[in-house]
Amino acid sequence: MNAGKILGLILIFSAFAAGLVIGKNKSSAVAPIITAGSGGAAYESGFSAKDNELTLSGNSKSVAGPPMTDVVVVVNDGESIQAAVHKAEPGTTIQVMPGTYKETVYIDKDGIRLIGVIKEGNRAVLDGEGKLNDAILYSGNNIVVENFTITRYKGNGIMSQAGNNWEIRNNIIIDTGVYGIFPQLGQNGVIEHNVVSGIEDAAIYVGMSDNVHVAYNDVFDSVAGIEIENSRHAIVEANHVYNNTGGILAFITPGLPIKTTYDVIIRNNFIISNNHPNFAAPGSTVAGVPAGTGILVMAADDVVIEGNIIRDNKNIGILITDHAHAANITFDPESDPYSDGVKILNNTMINNGTDPIPEIKAFMLSELKMGNPDIASIGPSDDSCIINRHRYVTVGIKGFSECDFTNTNSIGNYLLPPVPPREIKSEDRGKIAYLGICAGCHAYTGRLIGPPVQIIQALYIDDPQGIADYIANPIKRRDDYPEMPPQNYLDEETRMAAAQYMLEVKN
Amino acid sequence: MITRLLTLVFLALIFPVSASASPPVSIVLRESCPPSFEKMPDGACKLVTLYGFYDSLQGAGLGGTQTSLPQYRDGFTPQQIDLGRYLFFDPVLSKDGSISCASCHHPDRGFSDDLPRSIGMGGEELHRAAPSLWNVAFLKKFFWDAHADTLEAQMLGPLYAPNEMGNTPNGLLASINSIPAYRVLFKKAYPQRKEESIVLDEIYQSLAGFQASLISLNSRYDRYAHGFHAALSENEVEGLNIFRSFVARCAECHTPPLFTNQQIAVIGAPEPEGMAIDVGAQKTFEEPRLKAGFKVPTLRNIDRTAPYMHSGRFDSLHAVAEFYNGGRGHAVPEGVDLQLHWHISSPELTDYELDRLVDFMGTLTDESLKPQIPQWLPSGLTPISHKSTTHTAIITTKSGESL
């Protein structure tokens, strides 16, 4: 959304049409509809209505569940956190004492709780010294990262690739390059009480994820404060978001493999003075965000904006737009370019739009609007609604209806109890391991790389344990076959199940 | 037994095959599914892999180490798959009988060739590199420019392009139907059908079934992913962490478990010297923003498929890594305006880090399920490629036959 490019021909045409509508409205002099923010009907998203019994009760944000074991390992200053992760069994809590740790920590196992110990204000500091790539990188499920200070990494502070049920809490992240906190391709996560600043893209970036709660974070001096991208069922609430280029963003980036963003609630945040000059890398999506944008919705559907204090954002308070009006955006026939179903409830908007980008000024002019814009909607936005529109200086929202609800009180959060791993029955476990691994080298009859299964069956009648033990630690037994590589990466249960299955196959 | 086989070899060499001749041995289609496939009660083969232990967000088959696979093609019968194997290696599918699918997708060359750009039937160099066929069962888009949506639609390209296999649907049908052994085999693979003749869809389906059986998911990386961390060396793990770091960002598009997100990306890779810029997906989608956009290829078995990129500009994985490290748009020719992908950046990796990336890519190799090249083909031709004159005689004889 480059300042120079936001205006397309479409905009001119739609603005012209909108201007005609205005003229009519003026002549009929409709009194404003005033809606009380409290006591009205509550918004229900499709998700909450359908899956309400699944969401966590009360204020609990424990999506990683209790520790899987009571094993606690302590890492002291001068030791390596990664070494502790290496040795840790799933379920281990790793407590990191105050000190400075110059390393990248990666976690490819489940249930690791990485907890910094704060002593009289002193934290465990992960320092990338401007040389290391990422501070913490995980792909496991049920990961908790708490209480660290992370600084001077070139890539991300905390990032994931997949992994469900994560909790990222109470970290201070300063100047870590591209993203401060970046969970990706996972479900069910909490990001709360973090202080993130000085990030050249998004301080908190939820990418391609489901069921996410971003709350009570302090996010400043970055290009984008909080970004919800190609994600669903996300709540962004009670964050303090200031002095970024753009405050809170909900959008679809086309060209990503997961194509939708919907069901996002942005509520009760302080979105203040996000006027920082844009310092994003050229070509990045946020490089096009105009400085001074409080909330930006682009191509996301069913975004509810409620109860925010949006103040002193010089471009505009809330900008709703589509892919056609954005620069730097690629083409993707599989993603819907429009922001539909936007719901703007009561927000406290003060002193926004004092210096809007020329495109918004021109858009205002085309609708014969005066003043400093709080809300602009550029491009089609079907099924969108707003209450108390008379309070704001708006442009492009003629098509918005009156919302028939006034709050989101019925939705506490979109979090789930810890998402369980896929349940695999023992016999399926054996089959999967046998066909997925053993069958690559062992045919039922005839020679592949290893001896035929028929011969193995004859050798190990009624002795699956014998097979399970052998494959964990094979020794060369046959001169005419190569030595079998150990299969000890399979856990005992899986090895046993595969052995049982192998003894039973008939072809 | 060996003596008998040898005799047959000699017989085949001595006596040119003719259209009416039987194949030198009686070919029997396999009744068991390929390794890693389970035979279901209805006779169809279902793929089973350790990735079945996992889920993925939105079922999209993208994520990290323990993430399920995307939706895939399976459900072919053992006979269809095995018949597809014969067709795949049989040069009779090309107009002049000189090349087969395997000529450009050779199992010993990562189901690609070792050429920067493939060579078609008449010796003409094509414009793009042959993509590997490993794990095509998982793909939703085919060709570098993503212009086909199924394996069946894809194969029409090479089969019928005049500069590739040069055939026509009628020509293909005529040759296959004129070979008695194929008539027998197709009947075995398609026992329900009423027509006497082989039809095109059966050819396409068998070829698709064979290609969908080319599974590579048991590399050392996979063992690491399933939890056996000693499967990778320290250097390789370091490479993995660079690969997925947000400095290099490789994994943002080459996303596990397939190491492709199956999207189009405009990366600005250079063409070989003297070649005009290939507009790629711009043509497919009639969309200038996708100029020079190409489908993100899988990196599985990548160290088997040099040279690299859509037109084979780079000879080594190290050279590819250097390209990505060279700065956003550094190789885009003067005056060409490309909308480069947002993850194409200037990561400034060290040489040491580039070496580790190459180490890591080497862990993605698994050819344990490489199928056997048939010894004999129903056509009597030599598998993969046949340059002698005998086959042209066959084709000539056949061309007179009607269906």
Side-chain angles (χ1 to χ4, degrees), chain A residues 72-76 79 84 93-97 117:
Chain A
V72 176
V73 173
V74 176
V75 179
N76 291 298
E79 296 173 349
T93 298
I94 298 174
Q95 292 181 351
V96 183
M97 300 306 284
V117 176

Side-chain angles (χ1 to χ4, degrees), chain B residues 76-246:
Chain B
F76 303 91
T77 66
Q79 292 83 358
Q80 289 162 355
I81 295 169
D82 205 30
L83 174 58
R85 184 171 65 102
Y86 288 103
L87 292 167
F88 185 85
F89 288 98
D90 199 335
V92 80
L93 269 64
S94 60
K95 182 184 177 188
D96 67 356
S98 67
I99 60 171
S100 66
C101 308
S103 301
C104 298
H105 302 282
H106 195 296
D108 296 336
R109 294 170 199 148
F111 277 98
S112 175
D113 49 27
D114 47 13
L115 302 169
R117 293 161 303 283
S118 296
I119 307 285
M121 186 182 71
E124 185 187 332
E125 186 177 79
L126 307 174
H127 296 294
R128 292 181 187 149
S132 170
L133 302 185
W134 284 113
N135 295 330
V136 284
F138 303 95
L139 297 189
K140 298 179 193 77
K141 302 267 186 220
F142 299 86
F143 293 111
W144 280 104
D145 60 8
H147 76 261
D149 294 333
T150 62
L151 280 167
E152 287 85 342
Q154 179 277 329
M155 63 184 74
L156 305 182
L159 278 172
Y160 303 135
N163 56 355
E164 297 193 40
M165 297 172 85
N167 220 328
T168 59
N170 285 339
L172 177 62
L173 271 184
S175 351
I176 299 292
N177 269 304
S178 70
I179 298 166
Y182 269 128
R183 295 178 84 108
V184 173
L185 296 183
F186 273 84
K187 224 171 217 168
K188 285 267 185 230
Y190 296 95
Q192 318 287 1
R193 72 125 181 265
K194 298 197 177 65
E195 299 80 19
E196 267 307 291
S197 314
I198 298 160
V199 299
L200 284 170
D201 281 346
E202 293 165 351
I203 299 174
Y204 302 155
Q205 191 186 34
S206 302
L207 280 168
F210 170 68
Q211 292 178 72
S213 77
L214 305 175
I215 302 296
S216 173
L217 293 168
N218 252 331
S219 65
R220 287 192 297 115
Y221 162 78
D222 294 293
R223 293 179 176 199
Y224 179 93
H226 297 313
F228 181 57
H229 290 177
L232 301 186
S233 71
E234 266 181 45
N235 276 351
E236 289 162 346
V237 171
E238 212 176 328
L240 164 63
N241 285 333
I242 297 163
F243 184 86
R244 58 186 171 173
S245 79
F246 221 80

Side-chain angles (χ1 to χ4, degrees), chain A residues 64 68 73 81-94 105-114 136-145 160-166, chain B residues 54 64-66 224-230 240-241 244:
Chain A
M68 288 155 59
V73 173
I81 303 170
Q82 184 60 42
V85 173
H86 249 300
K87 284 185 224 141
E89 291 292 322
T92 301
T93 298
I94 298 174
V105 178
Y106 61 95
I107 308 172
D108 290 320
K109 43 183 92 171
D110 292 344
I112 300 295
R113 304 169 81 89
L114 208 54
I136 297 172
L137 203 164
Y138 67 84
S139 72
N141 297 309
N142 304 63
I143 301 292
V144 178
V145 179
S160 81
Q161 276 183 345
N164 299 327
N165 315 321
W166 73 87
Chain B
Y54 318 125
T65 48
Q66 303 200 341
Y224 179 93
H226 297 313
F228 181 57
H229 290 177
L240 164 63
N241 285 333
R244 58 186 171 173

Side-chain angles (χ1 to χ4, degrees), chain A residues 236-406:
Chain A
V236 180
E237 72 176 3
N239 300 284
H240 185 206
V241 183
Y242 63 99
N243 199 34
N244 306 288
T245 303
I248 298 177
L249 285 51
F251 60 80
I252 295 174
T253 293
L256 288 174
I258 289 178
K259 307 289 184 187
T260 56
T261 296
Y262 58 80
D263 199 11
V264 178
I265 298 177
I266 300 170
R267 66 184 177 195
N268 303 338
N269 298 284
F270 300 86
I271 304 169
I272 317 286
S273 296
N274 291 288
N275 300 319
H276 198 293
N278 195 321
F279 59 103
S284 64
T285 309
V286 296
V289 174
T293 305
I295 293 177
L296 173 65
V297 179
M298 180 179 73
D301 291 346
D302 295 319
V303 177
V304 184
I305 301 171
E306 178 201 8
N308 301 287
I309 294 179
I310 305 173
R311 176 160 65 76
D312 298 332
N313 301 288
K314 71 174 184 183
N315 177 40
I316 193 150
I318 300 172
L319 176 59
I320 298 155
T321 186
D322 61 12
H323 286 153
H325 292 93
N328 284 342
I329 295 278
T330 189
F331 166 79
D332 186 344
E334 294 174 69
S335 62
D336 176 14
Y338 305 119
S339 303
D340 295 324
V342 177
K343 301 147 197 355
I344 302 176
L345 305 180
N346 282 342
N347 291 279
T348 306
M349 303 188 74
I350 309 164
N351 195 39
N352 297 295
T354 50
D355 182 17
I357 56 171
E359 292 75 11
I360 291 179
K361 276 186 199 158
F363 192 19
M364 301 262 304
L365 208 61
S366 70
E367 279 199 11
L368 309 174
K369 291 272 177 149
M370 305 292 284
N372 301 332
D374 291 302
I375 302 171
S377 174
I378 301 174
S381 181
D382 291 345
D383 303 319
S384 292
C385 71
I386 184 169
I387 61 175
N388 294 323
R389 71 184 75 198
H390 58 280
R391 293 181 182 175
Y392 321 112
V393 177
T394 63
V395 57
I397 65 157
K398 283 287 168 289
F400 282 40
S401 64
E402 283 291 313
C403 300
D404 50 16
F405 44 83
T406 67

Side-chain angles (χ1 to χ4, degrees), chain A residues 460-478:
Chain A
Y460 288 93
I461 305 169
D462 298 331
D463 184 18
Q465 190 66 54
I467 297 180
D469 292 346
Y470 177 79
I471 64 177
N473 191 14
I475 41 166
K476 188 163 168 64
R477 287 214 177 126
R478 294 163 170 273

